Every structure is written in structure tokens, then in C-alpha cells.
Amino acid sequence: MEVEVTAEAKDKRLNRWVAITVVILSVSMGLGNIKDGNIVQAMQQAKADSVDRWGEYQATKTKTHIAETARSEIAILASALPSAKAAAAATLAETDAKIAKYRAEAPKLAVQAQGFADQYDALNVHDDQFDASEALLSTAISLAAVAALTESFGLIAASWAFGAFGLFMGICGFAGWAFHPDILSNFLG
């Protein structure tokens, strides 16, 4: 009788550890998932803004080229037709103003586009942290479940190791720390 009571008490203790582990890791994973979803939305916005600015930059460069070509043609026509010089002067001044405007806009658009691309890259680090956290926490929960089935304290300890690293990765994501699991990201990426 005493052996059964001891075995039953041991099972309950292991099951309590498994239950506590699963609850803590599941809640952490849920919170991380919410934050990761918000980061992914911000990444999508940054990527869209970057693409838009690069498109504006390219359009501005194209407009600059067209205006420069038009200016050259107007200057040639004005020199070939002395009667058109007065009309050409006004058009040349207007075209020069457009060219100056486009040349001033292009570098600003390139800086903005690069800024959005950099923002995307910075957010991607945190997205990777939450992805790694989710993978590690899922593994930890699975190990905890197997530990309950096999009544193995070794497996619950392995679960805690994976869970600890998963929690660390989640904390890095929430805190905005630059720790990045390059090996894991390269393997899974």
C-alpha cells in the first residue's frame, strides 16, 4: 500500500509541474503571438512605404530625364529658329525650374525609401525573435506533454530548458534587445 501512495504522490507532483509549465509557456506564447502579429503588420507597412518611395524616386528620376531631354530640344529649336527665342526662353526657365525641383526631390525620396527599408530590417530582427520564441515554447510544451505520459523528470527538465530559451527570446522581442538567433534563423529561414 505504501508503495502505491508514494508512486501516486510522485505522479501528482510531476503532473503539477507539467501543468504549471504548460500554463506559463502557453500564456507566454499567446502574448508573444499578439506582439509578433503587430510587428508583422508594421513590417508590411514599412515594406509598402519603402516600395512606394522607391517608385516615387524612380518616377522623379524619369521626369528629370524627360525634362532634361525636352530642355535640350527646346534649346536646339530656339537656336535654329531665332523667331522662337523669346517663347523658348520662358519655356526653358519653366523647364529649368522643374529640373531643379526633381533634382532636389530625388535624394529626399531615396533617403525616405532607405529609412523605411531600414525600419523593415529592424522589425524583422524582432519578428525572428518571436518566431524563435514560438518554436522553442512549442517544443517545450510538447516535451512537457511527453514527460507527463512517460512520467519522466528528465523530459520535464528538457522542457524547462527549451522553455527558458523560448522565454528569453520572447523577452528580447518585447524589450527590443538586439539579440538575434542567427544560427536558428539561418537554419529555419
Side-chain angles (χ1 to χ4, degrees), residues 34-122:
I34 291 169
K35 181 69 172 175
D36 188 36
N38 292 336
I39 288 173
V40 168
Q41 288 176 355
M43 287 174 64
Q44 290 170 337
Q45 185 63 51
K47 182 57 95 177
D49 289 341
S50 176
V51 169
D52 287 348
R53 288 308 178 282
W54 282 121
E56 287 181 53
Y57 170 80
Q58 291 171 342
T60 300
K61 295 294 274 182
T62 301
K63 290 188 281 186
T64 303
H65 179 71
I66 291 170
E68 289 169 344
T69 302
R71 189 199 186 291
S72 297
E73 291 174 358
I74 293 168
I76 290 170
L77 287 173
S79 66
L81 300 170
S83 61
K85 260 189 181 178
T91 304
L92 285 173
E94 186 179 312
T95 304
D96 286 342
K98 286 181 182 178
I99 291 170
K101 175 185 159 198
Y102 298 148
R103 285 184 179 164
E105 283 179 0
K108 292 176 188 173
L109 291 170
V111 167
Q112 288 175 347
Q114 189 58 51
F116 286 124
D118 292 343
Q119 179 184 7
Y120 177 88
D121 291 340

Side-chain angles (χ1 to χ4, degrees), residues 2-189:
E2 193 173 304
V3 174
E4 290 178 26
V5 172
T6 307
E8 188 177 308
K10 179 181 173 187
D11 291 343
K12 286 183 181 180
R13 193 173 105 203
L14 177 68
N15 285 338
R16 278 193 297 267
W17 282 114
V18 168
I20 291 168
T21 300
V22 169
V23 167
I24 290 170
L25 298 179
S26 296
V27 169
S28 299
M29 191 181 340
L31 293 173
N33 229 347
I34 291 169
K35 181 69 172 175
D36 188 36
N38 292 336
I39 288 173
V40 168
Q41 288 176 355
M43 287 174 64
Q44 290 170 337
Q45 185 63 51
K47 182 57 95 177
D49 289 341
S50 176
V51 169
D52 287 348
R53 288 308 178 282
W54 282 121
E56 287 181 53
Y57 170 80
Q58 291 171 342
T60 300
K61 295 294 274 182
T62 301
K63 290 188 281 186
T64 303
H65 179 71
I66 291 170
E68 289 169 344
T69 302
R71 189 199 186 291
S72 297
E73 291 174 358
I74 293 168
I76 290 170
L77 287 173
S79 66
L81 300 170
S83 61
K85 260 189 181 178
T91 304
L92 285 173
E94 186 179 312
T95 304
D96 286 342
K98 286 181 182 178
I99 291 170
K101 175 185 159 198
Y102 298 148
R103 285 184 179 164
E105 283 179 0
K108 292 176 188 173
L109 291 170
V111 167
Q112 288 175 347
Q114 189 58 51
F116 286 124
D118 292 343
Q119 179 184 7
Y120 177 88
D121 291 340
L123 289 168
N124 191 43
V125 168
H126 301 301
D127 178 54
D128 287 348
Q129 289 170 331
F130 283 111
D131 289 344
S133 175
E134 184 176 352
L136 291 162
L137 293 176
S138 293
T139 302
I141 291 170
S142 298
L143 286 171
V146 174
L149 292 174
T150 61
E151 299 178 4
S152 168
F153 275 103
L155 283 175
I156 194 71
S159 170
W160 292 339
F162 276 92
F165 192 47
L167 290 172
F168 172 73
M169 292 305 302
I171 290 168
C172 288
F174 278 110
W177 296 341
F179 181 80
H180 189 259
D182 289 325
I183 294 171
L184 188 59
S185 294
N186 290 335
F187 178 70
L188 298 174

